[in-house]
């Protein structure tokens, strides 16, 4: 009996000393109670978050405070606010923590600790701390060296979302915590590389450090940690190669290296982990093929290697991975027949009971895949998302391709040469939200099966060969659609008034409608104020803009993109732009609009692109644009604008990339302030009546110097929410023709001042524009020589200096322009030999006609005097000029001397008699001195 009682007491003691209770027995330790009360008094708690912390009441009963049942020490402390909560709490110091000597778990979340500079020194003195979580606390300083700390017991450290560590690298002491199991440094903006080693993280299983700026290679020690299971290093500026060997790591289950700059192949050791569940390598620069060894990943559920440079055929062995739920191979360079991925009937099916598929997402878009869409796709009954857009598929898609896709929510296969053949009364087995099949052969009849889709939100049936009117039921259905693309078909009739979407404002994405390039007619339809993108371009809409623009009865419109170009719109532009303050893109080109731009356009402060080309607009350069300081593009070409170019134009548009004023009636001198447009890459002032000289500061166009704009990729020029739906474009005259640049606009540069009345010489500073591709100063009154260093403009593709009064020789440096494909120097006063090069002799002789040139490609041979090397001709020409003036001076001196003497003798009789008497006497004296033979 005694033994039993003793046993019970020991068991009770064990339970009491090893169990944590939310509410402890007894009260807090006095010093710990006092410490927490000090915190309660000093904390900035305007939102009363610590309302349960009642001074004088046992702290073990406070919310977030946990005490040991027997010792009454505080062992857990949690002070947290939901990250998205508007409430606010700030703790200015953590010195009170030193009294909580038994604290094991400390969690402070979304609390402002920016004033607590000594946080680390205080916390490092807690000898029993096991779990430390300071998440999103605005910490801005972390000690790089910590000589004395008691972190040997620490198993979990979470400092994530402290974004003010931007001046610090991760301190080395963090990597020498041998008992640490979990380390989270995500989104702290750490700078600088990881330590080279050695490190002491023998217990580490989870390492998260995404969202930093390490700017280094993957550390060698990382994949030598025996217990490592979970690695997240996405968006951390990791570069270089993934090491080719790793023998020690065997337990890896989750690896995320997405959004970095890794540029190697995928090493074979990554395919060896039978326990790996997620492999995420999205958006790097990985290349090479995906090895068939990927079939070893028998536990894998997610594979994402999208947006890399992987190539070769699709790894068909992926199909045997029966647990796979998500496979993303999009935006690579995979090629071959897509059927290879489905070449076995059991591909993507588990090998267990029921022979079912686990695959829910399959993305193959943006590759070079060929073949037909396999019918076995229709057997993937769990498939929710399928995307194979932008490939090279051909063939017919039938009802059998969708037979068991009962869970399908998103089907995207646009930009393939596919034909949809289903019966008129087909009822799909799915209720999809996204149907994206632009570019398919769907017509000529409207796809009636869309009527069965009750959850549809995004529809793209553009370029589908569909004729006739859009059914009324579909216009009614459009009230639930967020994005509708009917463009590039043969639809006719009027577009009805658009009803407000049923999902209302703020409940989802934008409301966009693309109806361009059809045969719609009638007046412009009224739209709800909630719409964000509207494209009605290239149709037959007529009448004016007044009803459309001025009918804002329910407040301001949220429209960001408005494209009405290529219609039959007429009348003046109404003064109602105050109703459209969100506009970023306004396209009214190719209409019959008249008058000047209204003053209310000054409210369009968010405008990025303005295209009014080919109308009948007039007046001075619109001062109402002066407030549109974010503009990337201004195109006013082929209108009737008059007057001078305002000097403020060069000061108000710091982001301007494209300025086209071609074919108007602008006059006056070009302002020097034009050179302030440093990001300008297309400048077209042709076919006006500008006078004066070309500004000498023309070499200040930095984008033309560097060959690229500050917009380093196309993304900033793709304005639509749906990428590719609307990309910035520019009409550029080059190589004697007009071209539209869009997808490569960010790479193109052009300077065109042709067909004006400009005079003076070509500024030497123009040769600084080393990134210029098209250069046209033709049909002006320019004089002087072609700048000798024009060969420094290495990427020139088109040069037109014809119909001016340029003289001298063609610079020898022209021969180094290897990219030149168009040249016109005709109708000037150029002379000498055409320089020899692989380019110049390939041009048509008309490129040089109307000059005094010789040599190929002209049939005029050069004489030996003409065959003089003309490099460094500035010195030679200056010497020649000096020699010319010497002979001219001699001639003038001789003439003056000759006529000064002979003229006097001819016209004054007494001087003439005296002169001849002098000659007679001189002759007689000479004869007297000669010896007699």
């Amino acid at each position: 009996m005694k033994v039993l009682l003793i046993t019970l007491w020991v068991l009770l003691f064990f339970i009491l000393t090893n169990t944590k209770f939310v509410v402890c027995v007894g009260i807090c330790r006095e010093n710990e109670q006092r410490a927490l009360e000090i915190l309660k008094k000093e904390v900035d708690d305007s939102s009363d978050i610590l309302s349960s912390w009642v001074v004088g009441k046992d702290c073990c009963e406070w919310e977030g405070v946990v005490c040991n049942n027997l010792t009454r020490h505080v062992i857990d402390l949690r002070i947290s606010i939901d990250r998205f909560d508007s409430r606010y709490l700030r703790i200015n110091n953590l010195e009170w923590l030193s009294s909580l000597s038994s604290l094991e778990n400390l969690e402070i979340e979304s609390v402002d600790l920016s004033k607590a500079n000594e946080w680390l020194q205080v916390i490092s003195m807690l000898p029993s701390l096991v779990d430390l979580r300071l998440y999103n606390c605005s910490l801005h300083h972390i000690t790089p060296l910590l000589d004395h700390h008691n972190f040997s017991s620490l198993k979990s450290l979470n400092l994530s979302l402290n974004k003010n560590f931007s001046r610090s690298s991760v301190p080395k002491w963090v990597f020498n915590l041998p008992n640490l199991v979990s380390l989270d440094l995500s989104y702290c903006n750490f700078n600088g590389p990881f330590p080279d080693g050695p490190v002491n993280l023998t217990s580490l299983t989870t390492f998260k450090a995404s969202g930093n700026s390490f700017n280094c290679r993957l550390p060698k020690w990382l994949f030598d940690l025996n217990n490592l299971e979970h690695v997240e290093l996405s968006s951390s500026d990791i570069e270089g190669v993934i090491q080719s060997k790793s023998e020690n790591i065997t337990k890896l289950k989750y690896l995320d290296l997405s959004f970095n700059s890794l540029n190697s192949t995928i090493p074979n050791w990554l395919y060896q982990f039978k326990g790996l569940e997620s492999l995420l390598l999205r958006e790097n620069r990985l290349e090479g093929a995906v090895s068939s060894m990927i079939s070893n990943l028998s536990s894998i559920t997610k594979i994402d290697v999208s947006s890399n440079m992987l190539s070769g055929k699709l790894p068909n062995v992926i199909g045997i991975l029966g647990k796979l739920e998500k496979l993303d191979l999009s935006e690579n360079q995979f090629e071959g027949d897509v059927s290879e991925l489905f070449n076995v009937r059991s591909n993507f099916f588990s090998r267990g009971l029921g022979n079912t598929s686990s695959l829910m997402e399959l993305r193959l878009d943006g590759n070079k895949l060929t073949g037909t869409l396999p019918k076995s796709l229709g057997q993937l009954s769990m498939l929710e998302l399928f995307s194979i857009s932008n490939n090279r598929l051909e063939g017919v898609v039938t009802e059998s391709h969708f037979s068991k896709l009962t869970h399908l929510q998103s089907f995207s296969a646009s930009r393939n040469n596919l034909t949809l053949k289903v019966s008129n009364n087909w009822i799909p087995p799915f209720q999809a939200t996204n149907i994206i099949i632009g570019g398919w052969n769907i017509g000529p009849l409207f796809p009636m099966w869309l009527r069965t889709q009750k959850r549809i939100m995004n529809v793209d049936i553009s370029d589908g060969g569909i004729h006739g009117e859009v059914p009324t039921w579909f216009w009614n259905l459009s009230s639930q659609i967020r994005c509708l693309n009917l463009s590039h078909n043969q639809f006719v009739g009027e577009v009805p008034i658009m009803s407000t979407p049923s999902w209302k404002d703020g409940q989802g994405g934008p409301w966009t409608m693309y109806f361009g390039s059809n045969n719609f007619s009638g007046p412009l339809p009224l739209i709800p104020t909630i719409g964000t993108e509207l494209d009605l371009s290239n149709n037959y809409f007529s009448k004016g803009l007044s009803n459309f623009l001025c009918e804002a009865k329910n407040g301001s419109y949220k429209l960001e993109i408005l494209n009405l170009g290529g219609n039959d719109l007429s009348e003046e532009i109404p003064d109602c732009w105050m109703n459209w303050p969100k506009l970023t893109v306004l396209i009214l080109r190719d209409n019959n609009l008249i008058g000047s731009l209204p003053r209310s356009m000054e409210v369009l402060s968010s405008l990025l692109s303005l295209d009014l080309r080919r109308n009948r607009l007039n007046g001075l350069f619109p001062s109402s644009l002066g407030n549109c300081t974010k503009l990337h593009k201004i195109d006013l070409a082929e209108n009737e604008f008059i007057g001078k170019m305002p000097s403020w134009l060069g000061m108000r548009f710091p982001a301007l990339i494209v300025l086209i004023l071609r074919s108007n009636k602008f006059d006056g001198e070009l302002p020097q302030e034009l050179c302030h447009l440093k990001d300008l890459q297309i400048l077209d002032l042709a076919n006006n009546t500008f006078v004066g000289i070309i500004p000498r500061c023309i070499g200040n166009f930095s984008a033309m110097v560097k060959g690229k704009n500050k917009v380093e990729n196309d993304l900033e020029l793709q304005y639509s929410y749906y990428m590719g739906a609307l990309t910035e474009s520019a009409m550029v005259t080059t190589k004697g023709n007009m071209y539209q640049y869009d997808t490569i606009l960010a790479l193109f540069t052009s300077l065109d001042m042709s067909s004006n009345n400009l005079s003076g010489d070509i500024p030497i500073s123009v040769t600084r524009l080393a990134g210029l591709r098209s250069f046209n100063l033709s049909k002006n009154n320019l004089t002087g020589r072609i700048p000798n260093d024009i060969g420094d403009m290495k990427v020139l593709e088109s040069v037109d200096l014809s119909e001016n009064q340029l003289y001298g020789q063609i610079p020898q440096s022209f021969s180094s322009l290897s990219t030149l494909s168009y040249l016109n120097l005709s109708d000037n006063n150029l002379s000498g030999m055409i320089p020899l090069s692989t380019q110049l002799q390939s041009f048509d002789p008309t490129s040089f006609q109307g000059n005094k040139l010789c040599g190929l490609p002209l049939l005029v041979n050069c004489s030996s005097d003409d065959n003089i090397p003309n490099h460094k001709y500035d010195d030679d020409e200056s010497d020649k000029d000096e020699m010319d003036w010497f002979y001219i001076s001699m001639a003038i001196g001789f003439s003056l001397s000759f006529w000064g003497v002979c003229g006097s003798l001819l016209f004054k009789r007494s001087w003439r008699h005296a002169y001849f008497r002098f000659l007679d006497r001189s002759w007689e004296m000479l004869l007297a001195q000669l010896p007699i033979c």
Side-chain angles (χ1 to χ4, degrees):
M1 189 66 177
K2 289 183 179 180
V3 175
L4 180 59
L5 288 173
I6 294 173
T7 304
L8 290 173
W9 277 110
V10 170
L11 181 60
L12 179 61
F13 178 84
F14 178 83
I15 293 174
L16 291 175
T17 56
N18 290 276
T19 306
K20 302 170 186 177
F21 294 90
V22 176
V23 181
C24 64
V25 178
I27 60 174
C28 280
R29 293 276 181 154
E30 182 178 352
N31 62 325
E32 297 179 6
Q33 174 91 22
R34 186 165 53 250
L36 293 176
E37 288 180 352
I38 291 173
L39 168 62
K40 168 67 176 177
K41 292 178 181 179
E42 295 182 354
V43 72
D44 184 352
D45 187 13
S46 57
S47 301
D48 206 19
I49 295 168
L50 301 182
S51 58
S52 69
W53 289 29
V54 179
V55 175
K57 185 179 179 181
D58 181 10
C59 72
C60 291
E61 298 180 7
W62 294 357
E63 183 179 347
V65 179
V66 178
C67 299
N68 181 279
N69 186 58
L70 183 64
T71 64
R72 294 172 294 152
H73 284 294
V74 175
I75 53 176
D76 283 14
L77 179 60
R78 183 178 186 273
I79 306 174
S80 65
I81 307 171
D82 186 275
R83 182 183 173 190
F84 302 102
D85 200 325
S86 60
R87 295 186 300 168
Y88 174 77
L89 177 66
R90 183 173 68 194
I91 299 175
N92 292 327
N93 71 76
L94 296 177
E95 293 177 3
W96 49 272
L97 268 175
S98 59
S99 298
L100 308 182
S101 57
S102 298
L103 195 64
E104 298 177 13
N105 301 310
L106 175 61
E107 179 177 338
I108 303 179
E109 181 175 334
S110 299
V111 175
D112 185 357
L113 298 180
S114 59
K115 301 284 187 181
N117 293 326
E118 304 300 318
W119 65 274
L120 186 56
Q121 287 79 358
V122 174
I123 293 174
S124 67
M125 303 309 293
L126 300 176
S128 303
L129 199 61
V130 174
D131 187 352
L132 175 59
R133 179 182 173 90
L134 302 178
Y135 171 90
N136 190 33
C137 289
S138 302
L139 298 171
H140 57 80
H141 175 72
I142 184 167
T143 304
L145 298 174
L146 203 60
D147 296 330
H148 304 288
H149 65 79
N150 294 322
F151 283 155
S152 57
S153 60
L154 200 62
K155 293 185 178 181
S156 176
L157 175 60
N158 186 341
L159 300 177
S160 61
L161 273 173
N162 287 289
K163 298 181 180 180
N164 296 323
F165 287 144
S166 56
R167 297 181 181 178
S168 310
S169 57
V170 183
K172 191 168 183 178
W173 61 264
V174 172
F175 298 99
N176 287 283
L177 301 174
N179 292 316
L180 200 64
V181 174
S182 176
L183 175 61
D184 192 344
L185 305 174
S186 303
Y187 301 99
C188 289
N189 288 335
F190 280 118
N191 277 309
F194 295 109
D196 292 332
V199 300
N200 189 3
L201 293 170
T202 53
S203 301
L204 196 67
T205 63
T206 299
F207 180 44
K208 300 179 181 180
S210 297
N212 289 286
S213 300
F214 296 123
N215 294 301
C216 69
R217 294 172 176 259
L218 284 169
K220 294 181 180 179
W221 50 261
L222 179 63
F223 294 114
D224 289 328
L225 301 177
N226 294 346
N227 294 303
L228 199 60
E229 298 178 3
H230 189 111
V231 177
E232 291 183 31
L233 282 171
S234 65
S235 303
S236 286
D237 289 339
I238 303 294
E239 57 193 23
V241 301
I242 304 176
Q243 63 190 65
S244 58
K245 292 183 179 179
S246 181
E247 299 176 355
N248 294 328
I249 183 171
T250 58
K251 300 178 181 179
L252 196 63
K253 293 182 179 180
Y254 186 100
L255 177 62
D256 186 358
L257 300 176
S258 302
F259 303 101
N260 284 296
S261 299
L262 298 169
N263 58 7
S264 64
T265 58
I266 300 176
N268 286 338
W269 62 266
L270 265 179
Y271 301 125
Q272 301 298 324
F273 301 106
K274 293 187 177 181
L276 189 64
E277 297 173 359
S278 295
L279 176 61
L280 310 177
L281 303 175
R282 177 187 179 94
E283 203 158 318
N284 280 280
R285 300 173 187 169
L286 299 173
E287 56 187 15
V290 174
S291 170
S292 60
M293 295 175 63
I294 199 171
S295 60
N296 293 331
L297 305 179
S298 55
S299 299
I300 199 80
T301 60
K302 295 181 182 179
I303 298 176
D304 187 348
V305 294
S306 61
S307 300
N308 280 285
M309 296 183 287
L310 299 170
S311 57
K313 292 188 176 182
L314 290 175
N316 53 15
V317 292
I318 288 181
I320 70 173
L321 301 175
K323 295 182 180 180
L324 197 60
E325 297 176 0
K326 176 181 177 180
L327 174 62
D328 193 343
L329 306 177
S330 63
E331 304 300 331
N332 279 287
Q333 300 171 26
F334 291 115
E335 56 189 11
D337 197 318
V338 68
S339 297
E340 288 293 315
L341 201 60
F342 299 85
N343 64 346
V344 178
R345 184 175 179 82
S346 59
N347 270 9
F348 299 113
F349 286 85
S350 64
R351 300 303 185 265
L353 296 175
N355 196 28
T356 59
S357 170
S358 300
L359 196 64
M360 293 187 289
E361 293 187 22
L362 176 59
R363 298 193 59 128
L364 304 172
D365 46 292
N367 283 288
K368 302 175 182 178
L369 302 176
T370 57
T372 60
L373 200 63
K375 290 185 178 181
S376 55
L377 174 70
Q379 304 300 310
L380 302 177
S381 58
M382 300 301 295
L383 196 64
E384 297 176 0
L385 183 151
F386 176 70
S387 180
I388 199 169
S389 296
N390 297 305
N391 279 284
R392 303 171 183 175
L393 304 185
E394 298 179 334
V396 177
V397 178
T398 64
E399 298 173 15
S400 60
H401 287 84
F402 304 95
S403 58
K404 293 185 180 180
L405 300 185
T406 55
H407 289 82
L408 188 66
Q409 297 179 23
S410 180
F411 183 82
S412 177
S414 59
R415 307 299 167 254
N416 286 288
N417 189 20
L418 293 168
T419 299
L420 181 64
K421 284 190 176 181
V422 295
S423 62
N424 291 335
N425 56 356
W426 179 53
I427 300 177
F430 52 79
Q431 285 293 320
T433 56
N434 303 323
I435 299 292
I436 312 298
I437 51 176
W440 284 35
N441 181 13
I442 304 170
L445 300 178
F446 194 91
M448 301 299 290
W449 53 269
L450 281 173
R451 193 171 190 175
T452 67
Q453 301 301 294
K454 306 303 181 183
R455 302 175 186 171
I456 197 73
M457 299 177 70
N458 300 298
V459 178
D460 182 355
I461 52 173
S462 61
D463 194 17
I466 308 172
H467 295 250
E469 293 189 358
V470 177
T472 303
W473 62 261
F474 187 77
W475 290 127
N476 295 333
L477 183 67
S478 65
S479 64
Q480 72 184 52
I481 294 179
R482 296 178 183 176
C483 178
L484 175 59
N485 192 344
L486 304 180
S487 63
H488 296 89
N489 282 288
Q490 298 296 319
F491 290 122
V492 299
E494 295 188 6
V495 176
I497 296 175
M498 302 293 176
S499 56
T500 301
S502 58
W503 42 269
K504 303 296 182 183
D505 188 12
Q507 298 181 13
W511 183 77
T512 67
M513 290 208 170
Y514 283 79
F515 299 160
S517 300
N518 279 286
N519 296 318
F520 289 120
S521 58
L524 294 172
L526 300 183
I527 64 172
T529 57
I530 192 176
T532 58
E533 301 179 23
L534 179 64
D535 183 354
L536 300 173
S537 63
N538 302 312
N539 281 284
Y540 295 97
F541 293 107
S542 58
K543 300 184 180 180
L545 293 169
S546 295
N547 287 341
F548 177 81
L549 289 177
C550 305
E551 191 67 24
K553 296 179 179 178
N554 299 318
S556 296
Y557 286 84
K558 291 181 171 55
L559 201 69
E560 298 176 8
I561 295 175
L562 177 59
N563 187 355
L564 302 177
N567 283 287
D568 294 329
L569 301 173
S570 58
E571 303 176 6
E572 292 188 353
I573 300 176
D575 197 12
C576 297
W577 295 101
M578 69 288 293
N579 299 328
W580 307 79
K582 301 290 187 181
L583 274 181
T584 60
V585 177
L586 176 59
I587 303 174
L588 299 175
R589 60 182 299 161
D590 295 302
N591 280 288
N592 296 306
L593 301 171
I594 61 175
S596 58
L597 297 192
R599 187 169 185 80
S600 63
M601 292 189 77
E602 65 186 7
V603 305
L604 305 182
S605 58
S606 298
L607 201 62
L608 300 176
S609 181
L610 175 64
D611 193 339
L612 303 175
R613 175 185 285 259
R614 280 196 291 268
N615 280 282
R616 292 185 290 155
L617 300 169
N618 55 41
L620 300 174
F621 188 95
S623 60
S624 56
L625 297 182
N627 288 340
C628 307
T629 57
K630 297 179 182 179
L631 277 166
H632 287 160
K633 168 186 165 181
I634 299 175
D635 189 345
L636 305 181
E638 300 183 51
N639 279 285
E640 300 172 8
F641 290 106
I642 61 173
K644 296 182 179 181
M645 181 187 297
S647 58
W648 55 260
L649 188 149
M651 309 294 288
R652 299 278 184 89
F653 305 116
L656 200 62
I657 299 171
V658 178
L659 176 60
I660 302 177
L661 305 181
R662 183 184 193 89
S663 299
N664 279 283
K665 299 177 182 179
F666 290 114
D667 55 25
E669 296 186 356
L670 298 178
Q672 292 289 323
E673 290 82 359
L674 188 67
C675 301
H676 290 289
L677 300 174
K678 296 184 181 298
D679 292 317
L680 202 63
Q681 64 185 77
I682 294 177
L683 175 61
D684 188 349
L685 306 178
N687 296 325
N688 284 284
T689 53
F690 290 115
V691 298
I693 64 172
I694 299 172
R696 293 295 183 261
C697 57
I698 196 172
N700 290 353
F701 293 138
S702 301
M704 299 183 189
V705 173
K706 300 175 183 177
K708 67 176 182 179
N709 191 267
K710 70 174 183 178
V711 178
E712 296 185 355
N713 54 57
D714 294 341
L715 297 182
E716 290 188 48
L717 298 179
Q718 294 190 7
Y719 299 124
S720 175
Y721 179 88
Y722 294 91
M723 190 175 297
L726 182 64
T727 301
E728 184 62 277
S729 64
M731 297 297 295
V732 180
T733 299
T734 181
K735 303 179 183 179
N737 292 294
M738 184 171 287
Y739 300 92
Q740 178 168 315
Y741 288 86
D742 40 43
T743 55
I744 62 170
L745 178 60
L747 304 175
F748 193 75
T749 50
S750 173
L751 176 62
D752 191 343
M753 297 182 179
S754 62
S755 300
N756 280 286
N757 294 321
L758 299 174
S759 56
D761 58 0
I762 301 174
I764 295 176
S765 63
V766 76
T767 60
R768 291 185 56 223
L769 306 181
L772 194 62
R773 295 183 180 273
S774 180
F775 183 40
N776 191 346
L777 297 178
S778 65
K779 299 178 182 178
N780 279 288
N781 298 314
L782 299 175
T783 57
R785 306 177 188 277
I786 301 173
N788 188 45
D789 293 331
I790 195 169
D792 292 344
M793 304 167 74
K794 297 295 186 182
V795 296
L796 273 176
E797 300 171 5
S798 175
V799 175
D800 192 345
L801 303 176
S802 63
E803 298 186 49
N804 280 287
Q805 301 171 37
L806 303 173
Y807 58 81
Q809 296 179 326
I810 300 175
Q812 184 68 29
S813 64
F814 251 113
S815 61
S816 65
L817 297 177
S818 59
T819 59
L820 197 63
S821 59
Y822 180 89
L823 176 66
N824 192 349
L825 302 177
S826 64
D827 298 312
N828 280 285
N829 297 316
L830 301 172
S831 59
M833 185 180 71
I834 299 172
L836 295 174
S837 75
T838 56
Q839 296 294 110
L840 298 182
Q841 277 64 48
S842 66
F843 292 117
D844 192 273
T846 56
S847 298
F848 304 97
Q849 69 183 11
N851 290 286
K852 300 175 182 178
L853 297 168
C854 62
L856 295 174
L858 298 177
L859 300 178
V860 180
N861 293 325
C862 296
S863 65
S864 58
D865 293 336
D866 293 325
N867 192 9
I868 300 173
N870 55 2
H871 57 282
K872 297 183 181 178
Y873 83 91
D874 284 342
D875 295 335
D876 296 343
E877 291 294 343
S878 62
D879 292 342
K880 183 183 177 194
D881 287 347
E882 292 177 8
M883 190 67 69
D884 289 344
W885 279 109
F886 173 76
Y887 286 120
I888 291 173
S889 300
M890 283 181 60
I892 294 173
F894 175 81
S895 301
L896 290 174
S897 300
F898 177 83
W899 288 109
V901 175
C902 296
S904 300
L905 296 177
L906 183 64
F907 296 106
K908 197 164 181 64
R909 186 175 181 181
S910 59
W911 286 23
R912 186 167 62 251
H913 289 171
Y915 177 73
F916 283 116
R917 284 198 297 271
F918 167 76
L919 289 178
D920 287 342
R921 285 197 300 270
S922 298
W923 178 250
E924 290 174 357
M925 291 175 64
L926 179 62
L927 291 176
Q929 294 177 2
L930 292 175
I932 300 175
C933 297

